[in-house]
Amino acid sequence: AVVSTQSTGFYVRNMRGNFHFTPRGVKTNETITHAIHELKFGSSLYDEDYYEDIPTGSYGSLENVERDNRAGMTHDYMVKLVRTEIWDDDIEEHFYPYQYTYSHRRFVGHHDGKPLPPRIFFRLDFSPLTMRYSRIHEPLWVFFSRHLALLGGSFAVTKMLYNTFHVAQDAARGGKFL
């Protein structure tokens, strides 16, 4: 058996619709074992640690997927894409990555009773929805006012508990409330 290993990478700027890979050669009924190392749509998030508050698992759900198969097997990936808009207030820039989920099926294709060569299909379905994330940071005075309010509320609750305890203690001794 002839084993051929290819490593392919490409960047597509604009694309609508589906795409597929078909090996061409003398033996058209070989296996098409493959590994997807990275598949992303739209602009990429440059520093994913910086965007830790945005769920990034659905931006590359086909990363590091390996499929092997028998001769003539066709792989069909149905990919559902949702456009995402990320506004970053720190650098005042928009990013437009696509989140996606996928389903996978394998089958042996036939045409007029003859097996077809193995292929990898990517069928894309673009959602009309857009997810929007905004990173807006509050000014420093908002941070201080929230913490001062928390501190003031703690003192107020402590004073109420203290007064309730002393009123109950005075009532138990038969004293006056005021």
Side-chain angles (χ1 to χ4, degrees):
V2 176
V3 176
S4 173
T5 303
Q6 291 182 350
S7 178
T8 305
F10 60 91
Y11 172 78
V12 178
R13 184 169 177 208
N14 292 319
M15 180 187 66
R16 283 287 197 203
N18 307 322
F19 62 96
H20 73 280
F21 301 99
T22 305
R24 302 285 183 199
V26 177
K27 295 184 177 183
T28 59
N29 204 15
E30 296 292 323
T31 63
I32 190 162
T33 300
H34 61 282
I36 301 171
H37 298 290
E38 182 176 8
L39 181 65
K40 295 191 181 207
F41 298 92
S43 58
S44 63
L45 300 175
Y46 298 110
D47 186 8
E48 292 189 9
D49 293 335
Y50 180 71
Y51 296 101
E52 63 188 21
D53 52 340
I54 297 173
T56 57
S58 58
Y59 292 98
S61 57
L62 265 172
E63 289 182 9
N64 300 319
V65 170
E66 294 186 25
R67 306 269 188 221
D68 57 344
N69 58 351
R70 64 178 196 264
M73 188 68 70
T74 295
H75 294 270
D76 197 4
Y77 293 95
M78 281 74 71
V79 181
K80 179 77 171 177
L81 293 139
V82 177
R83 184 171 188 240
T84 307
E85 178 183 350
I86 299 174
W87 165 252
D88 195 337
D89 196 38
D90 287 344
I91 57 176
E92 295 182 0
E93 190 172 347
H94 280 89
F95 298 103
Y96 297 98
Y98 282 81
Q99 299 181 54
Y100 67 90
T101 58
Y102 75 96
S103 63
H104 172 259
R105 67 183 177 127
R106 296 188 281 203
F107 61 91
V108 176
H110 289 85
H111 180 68
D112 290 334
K114 298 177 186 173
L116 292 172
R119 296 167 291 183
I120 301 174
F121 282 101
F122 288 89
R123 302 176 197 279
L124 306 179
D125 182 18
F126 290 87
S127 173
L129 301 176
T130 299
M131 296 291 297
R132 288 200 170 119
Y133 295 102
S134 297
R135 272 198 111 155
I136 299 172
H137 298 281
E138 298 289 339
L140 190 60
W141 64 269
V142 172
F143 171 78
F144 284 125
S145 65
R146 286 184 182 158
H147 283 79
L148 286 174
L150 181 67
L151 187 63
S154 299
F155 280 117
V157 169
T158 303
K159 185 176 180 182
M160 284 189 328
L161 292 175
Y162 178 78
N163 287 338
T164 304
F165 175 73
H166 281 289
V167 165
Q169 190 177 17
D170 286 344
R173 290 184 188 160
K176 296 183 180 179
F177 294 119
L178 295 174

